[in-house]
Amino acid sequence: MTRIYTRTGDDGTTGLFFGGRIDKADVLMDACGDVDEAVAVLGVARARCEDGTQDGGPDAAEAVALAALLLGFQRELFVVAADLATHPERRRRLEPGVSLVSAEMVDGLERLIDAEVARRPLRPVFIVPGATALSAALDHARTVVRRAERHALRARAAGHVVTEDAARYLNRLSDLLFVLARSAAGDAEEPASHD
């Protein structure tokens, strides 16, 4: 039988990528935990894509495309996690796009944002999330990614290696999730005020 537990973390530490250990309460681990949570919440959103076609969201073809896009983000967040959680003296072993966030990954998010906003311009009002289950899940993912960005920047301020590309990736992904949530909500969104 394979055991899921190792007991190595019972001392309050966790392993880094390519060796070494770090305190589980370290702010860098907060950022890594947020990235892990974002992967999970994006999974919830991806599972909602098919449901979204029934409550005013994307049509079937758009739902399939969105699910594939979200799966891609989940995979890219594994790259972000590896980048953040690597032993600082072993970063030369990282591979761009595999275990190191690259400028091309950030550029890809920017292109998607621009294309989506051109397809469906944003309304100039604050929106209350929750018009549809899919848009709510995307908004939830957005807020988790924003938290990951804040913790990553706090980790950098504390002396950890957080690359500019990793920080930019988290920022752009949260922006893109905002735009995708607006699109998934369609015309069902409620503005923050009725003025």
Side-chain angles (χ1 to χ4, degrees), residues 79-160:
V79 177
V80 175
D83 192 328
L84 291 174
T86 294
H87 189 293
E89 295 173 9
R90 299 182 185 125
R91 292 188 58 78
R92 68 186 177 283
R93 296 170 66 181
L94 298 178
E95 297 179 46
V98 176
S99 51
L100 177 71
V101 179
S102 66
E104 290 75 22
M105 290 169 63
V106 178
D107 293 343
L109 293 177
E110 291 178 352
R111 285 192 299 274
L112 288 168
I113 292 167
D114 293 343
E116 189 62 29
V117 170
R119 187 177 79 83
R120 186 180 176 92
L122 298 174
R123 295 167 57 193
V125 295
F126 286 106
I127 298 296
V128 178
T132 67
L134 175 57
S135 68
L138 289 167
D139 272 316
H140 187 184
R142 169 186 56 83
T143 64
V144 174
V145 173
R146 282 280 190 223
R147 182 176 0 110
E149 178 191 11
R150 290 192 305 273
H151 279 144
L153 294 175
R154 193 177 299 163
R156 179 195 289 164
H160 292 289

